[in-house]
Amino acid sequence: MLGVREGNIVTVSLERLIASLVAPSNEHADEARVYQGQLAKPVGSLGRLESLGSHLCGIYRVVPPPPMSAAVAIFAADHGVVKEDVSAWPAEVTTQMVATIASGGAAVSVLAQAAGATLRVVDVGVMSSLSTTGAGVDVRRVRAGTANLVREPAMSIEEAEAAMSVGADIALELIATGANVLVGGEMGIGNTTSAAALISSICEVEPALVAGRGAGIDDETHRHKVSVIHDAIARCGQPDDPVELLAEIGGLEIAALVGFYIAAAAMRVPVVIDGVVCVAAALLANEIDPIVSRYFVAGHRSQEPGASVGLGHLRLRPLLDLELRLGEATGAVLALPMVDAAGRVLREMATFAAASVSGPDERQ
Amino acid sequence: MLGVREGNIVTVSLERLIASLVAPSNEHADEARVYQGQLAKPVGSLGRLESLGSHLCGIYRVVPPPPMSAAVAIFAADHGVVKEDVSAWPAEVTTQMVATIASGGAAVSVLAQAAGATLRVVDVGVMSSLSTTGAGVDVRRVRAGTANLVREPAMSIEEAEAAMSVGADIALELIATGANVLVGGEMGIGNTTSAAALISSICEVEPALVAGRGAGIDDETHRHKVSVIHDAIARCGQPDDPVELLAEIGGLEIAALVGFYIAAAAMRVPVVIDGVVCVAAALLANEIDPIVSRYFVAGHRSQEPGASVGLGHLRLRPLLDLELRLGEATGAVLALPMVDAAGRVLREMATFAAASVSGPDERQ
């Protein structure tokens, strides 16, 4: 683990959140495990739903966990590295997709509604004017897209901190209005290049094993993407400090997700993760304080290779593997019914005793 | 595939249902695939959600598919083979769990409510009196438990047909009241022995590779279970006719599930499958007419080894793998939000054209 740099590396509010981090309660997780064994089913027969339920009880420090109230926040930003032709899509698609998400027509909009989750769209650093996108976008732009991370730092330390604070603020706002399960998502053409660079650097895995096809690139563009990631890491020399690394080769929406995850953990709220960009942010949050990752629930295994590398580093096993590679947090939102179900089992199932069901034969 | 025996092998209504089976429409599935490519996301990026959505369009013969209205039917019956001490649980647990399911306290009751599905509990052959179970159980008992399948046929051909008809009737009733996605589940102490025998026989796989730990048995009981399955198959000599095989070594709830699956397919309604007992019924339905399995959606990969053997035989890949081994159709019910999501994506997502989103760069 890398330490947080001395001094004013993050804003005061983020520093306070980090200082308030405590691990989930093993005592409550254990209590939940014992209780699962009394429910009207063979011991352990609900598999990963049981371990998820116990995890939730440890996070909330109560058995059973409260009913799920889920909120999704999508952070959008642009990336200077698109100048290097690493994406199949033009940069203006970020803005267009922000509008589509906000108006309910994107995959994550549809899936969030299906899961009964609220959806917030936050512009933390989109390049073009959002004048065309209309209502429904929370504009908290720290800067208009990052610099080209191959040539220079993507942003300053102060900008990275400011974007982290935006993410933290959004998490705190959502929790204040009743959310007790958070999903962070992202939209940003070019952001899988930044995410792969971060994952390669933190997990010390070759760029070629981390870089994926993003939103659909051909072999030649993929080779170029790998060399861009290689050059970016070589340029910045893998700084030890996670916020410095974030500023060097990260993105504004990635920074926002880091702050979002830290705030959720500080407020003892689980966050559901999917997608290579979110995994990169999860790794950075874990580098800042590994307690944060104790609040992670891996929702889905993205098809992007970097996602699996990062999840392995965090020792997280996703609930779903449906071969999604869309981002936007779609896989995490698809996993929300599992999170809901894990809590309901503990709240609503009868015990064998209450249901007057005989136990296993004595010979067992 | 084994043929259906000449003559009055099934009741007239089931014969009519079988005669009316048609495969899902490739044309509508193809139309859905083309439409998925126009939605506001990279082509194919929703992975298995897209193939599931196209499958649903083929089944319903319309693009997009209608909103999901799901119904779960749990068929309960007892098994004479419990006399051989193959289960960790006494036979009276079937009746007790039927009452628990009906009163809302079982895992499947909780998960069905979470998924917004209706739940029907059907006694198709429970041994003891259901006088203690109160309201909420649909008593359509064909006989009071099966005979011991190691010593004699579990039931007569006529009883197997009658139980299949119960299952078909329930499916038709649920569809008549508006259900368009069906889940069949089961409860019956001893039924994983019958299911493993059926799977071993149909898939021609050694009993030892199919028999699992059911609701929790020790090594010695497991060895005994394997030998019981071996003896049962040796006794009946693997009849070619699937209904005869069902009568020889099946169960009343398994027969009901076979009829349930056939009726759903005949009515062009998808059925979601989980659990080794449901997989055994699915294999039998597929033997009666392979068109039936074109309407299957594998919801979850049960931990019981027989389930994976049977799913492989049916060339089905489950949506979920959450290490459940409870039965009751719990894993299928957990997969219902994925079925719902697959349809919603097609109904509710914007196209790139409608959202005015730029396409991939021309160089791609």
Side-chain angles (χ1 to χ4, degrees):
Chain A
M1 176 223 164
L2 312 173
V4 175
R5 212 168 58 174
E6 294 293 314
N8 190 29
I9 189 68
V10 289
T11 63
V12 172
S13 72
L14 262 170
E15 267 184 355
R16 280 201 189 134
L17 289 169
I18 293 168
S20 70
L21 286 167
V22 289
S25 156
N26 288 330
E27 193 185 322
H28 290 91
D30 287 344
E31 184 188 333
R33 263 173 228 117
V34 170
Y35 185 65
Q36 310 252 27
Q38 296 165 8
L39 298 175
K41 58 172 184 54
V43 171
S45 61
L46 279 173
R48 297 191 60 197
L49 220 51
E50 296 191 30
S51 43
L52 177 57
S54 302
H55 186 196
L56 295 175
C57 291
I59 287 175
Y60 294 122
R61 297 171 175 263
V62 62
V63 181
M68 180 178 85
S69 175
V72 183
I74 306 292
F75 298 97
D78 276 305
H79 291 258
V81 73
V82 296
K83 292 189 196 86
E84 303 289 333
D85 289 339
V86 287
S87 175
W89 302 78
E92 64 257 31
V93 168
T94 303
T95 306
Q96 293 163 346
M97 282 306 302
V98 162
T100 307
I101 295 169
S103 67
V108 73
S109 331
V110 170
L111 298 176
Q113 196 178 13
T118 64
L119 180 66
R120 183 88 160 262
V121 189
V122 184
D123 169 8
V124 68
V126 172
M127 216 157 357
S128 61
S129 159
L130 276 179
S131 60
T132 57
T133 63
V137 178
D138 191 351
V139 182
R140 305 207 187 182
R141 206 177 293 178
V142 171
R143 59 177 275 176
T146 51
N148 182 351
L149 53 81
V150 189
R151 314 260 169 228
E152 58 188 316
M155 62 192 116
S156 69
I157 298 274
E158 291 68 27
E159 286 163 342
E161 289 173 2
M164 286 169 70
S165 287
V166 169
D169 285 348
I170 298 290
L172 297 178
E173 286 173 31
L174 293 173
I175 293 166
T177 56
N180 62 10
V181 173
L182 294 188
V183 176
E186 44 61 44
M187 171 51 60
I189 298 302
N191 66 7
T192 66
T193 297
S194 170
L198 289 165
I199 294 169
S200 175
S201 178
I202 294 171
C203 302
E204 300 183 356
V205 170
E206 280 297 308
L209 299 175
V210 172
R213 299 291 169 142
I217 52 175
D218 59 21
D219 288 351
E220 190 189 328
T221 310
H222 182 257
R223 274 191 297 273
H224 178 58
K225 181 176 175 178
V226 168
S227 84
V228 162
I229 293 168
H230 194 276
D231 293 352
I233 294 172
R235 180 193 57 72
C236 75
Q238 290 190 280
D240 272 352
D241 181 90
V243 179
E244 198 181 324
L245 182 67
L246 169 62
E248 284 286 354
I249 57 173
L252 292 151
E253 80 280 49
I254 297 174
L257 284 165
V258 174
F260 185 80
Y261 293 153
I262 290 170
M267 298 300 287
R268 304 179 187 177
V269 163
V271 284
V272 190
I273 289 171
D274 168 55
V276 70
V277 177
C278 294
V279 167
L283 284 165
L284 284 164
N286 180 65
E287 294 291 318
I288 290 170
D289 193 321
I291 289 177
V292 179
S293 59
R294 303 281 300 274
Y295 290 82
F296 292 163
V297 173
H300 172 263
R301 181 182 299 283
S302 162
Q303 290 282 90
E304 284 281 303
S308 285
V309 170
L311 291 171
H313 188 90
L314 292 165
R315 297 169 192 270
L316 293 175
R317 226 172 112 213
L319 292 167
L320 304 178
D321 186 355
L322 293 170
E323 300 176 4
L324 272 63
R325 51 179 172 81
L326 174 53
E328 295 179 8
T330 44
V333 176
L334 273 174
L336 286 175
M338 311 298 138
V339 178
D340 179 41
R344 283 180 186 257
V345 160
L346 282 159
R347 282 196 306 280
E348 300 172 19
M349 269 188 77
T351 60
F352 272 133
S356 301
V357 174
S358 310
D361 289 347
E362 278 161 25
R363 70 187 149 74
Q364 288 302 317
Chain B
M1 175 225 162
L2 311 170
V4 175
R5 213 168 56 176
E6 293 294 315
N8 191 28
I9 190 67
V10 288
T11 62
V12 173
S13 72
L14 263 170
E15 265 183 355
R16 280 203 189 132
L17 289 170
I18 293 167
S20 70
L21 286 166
V22 291
S25 155
N26 288 331
E27 193 185 321
H28 290 90
D30 288 343
E31 184 187 331
R33 260 172 231 119
V34 170
Y35 186 65
Q36 310 254 27
Q38 295 164 8
L39 297 176
K41 55 170 186 55
V43 170
S45 60
L46 279 172
R48 298 191 61 197
L49 220 51
E50 295 191 30
S51 43
L52 176 57
S54 301
H55 186 195
L56 295 175
C57 291
I59 286 175
Y60 294 122
R61 295 170 177 267
V62 63
V63 181
M68 180 178 86
S69 174
V72 182
I74 305 292
F75 299 98
D78 275 304
H79 291 258
V81 74
V82 295
K83 292 187 195 85
E84 303 288 335
D85 290 339
V86 287
S87 175
W89 301 77
E92 64 258 32
V93 168
T94 302
T95 306
Q96 293 163 348
M97 283 305 303
V98 163
T100 307
I101 295 169
S103 67
V108 73
S109 329
V110 170
L111 298 176
Q113 198 180 8
T118 65
L119 180 66
R120 183 87 160 262
V121 189
V122 184
D123 170 8
V124 69
V126 172
M127 221 164 343
S128 62
S129 158
L130 277 179
S131 59
T132 57
T133 62
V137 179
D138 192 351
V139 183
R140 305 207 187 182
R141 205 178 293 178
V142 170
R143 61 176 275 177
T146 51
N148 182 349
L149 54 79
V150 188
R151 314 261 170 226
E152 59 189 313
M155 62 192 116
S156 69
I157 298 274
E158 292 69 26
E159 287 163 344
E161 289 173 4
M164 287 169 69
S165 287
V166 168
D169 286 350
I170 298 290
L172 297 177
E173 287 172 32
L174 293 173
I175 294 165
T177 55
N180 63 10
V181 173
L182 293 187
V183 176
E186 44 62 42
M187 170 51 58
I189 298 301
N191 67 7
T192 64
T193 298
S194 171
L198 289 164
I199 294 169
S200 175
S201 179
I202 294 169
C203 302
E204 300 183 355
V205 170
E206 281 298 309
L209 299 175
V210 172
R213 299 291 168 141
I217 53 175
D218 58 21
D219 288 352
E220 191 189 326
T221 310
H222 183 255
R223 277 192 295 273
H224 178 58
K225 181 176 175 179
V226 168
S227 85
V228 162
I229 293 167
H230 195 274
D231 293 351
I233 294 172
R235 181 191 58 70
C236 75
Q238 291 190 280
D240 272 352
D241 181 89
V243 179
E244 199 181 324
L245 182 68
L246 169 61
E248 285 286 353
I249 57 173
L252 292 150
E253 80 280 47
I254 297 174
L257 284 165
V258 174
F260 185 82
Y261 292 152
I262 290 170
M267 298 300 288
R268 304 179 188 176
V269 162
V271 283
V272 189
I273 289 172
D274 167 57
V276 69
V277 177
C278 294
V279 167
L283 285 166
L284 284 163
N286 181 64
E287 294 292 317
I288 290 169
D289 193 320
I291 289 177
V292 179
S293 58
R294 303 282 300 274
Y295 290 82
F296 292 162
V297 173
H300 172 263
R301 181 181 300 282
S302 161
Q303 289 282 88
E304 284 280 303
S308 285
V309 170
L311 291 171
H313 189 92
L314 292 165
R315 296 169 193 271
L316 293 175
R317 226 173 110 212
L319 293 167
L320 305 179
D321 187 354
L322 293 170
E323 301 178 3
L324 271 63
R325 50 178 173 78
L326 174 54
E328 295 178 7
T330 43
V333 177
L334 272 174
L336 286 174
M338 311 298 138
V339 178
D340 179 41
R344 283 179 187 259
V345 159
L346 282 158
R347 283 195 305 280
E348 300 172 20
M349 270 187 76
T351 60
F352 272 132
S356 302
V357 175
S358 311
D361 289 347
E362 278 162 23
R363 68 189 148 79
Q364 291 298 318

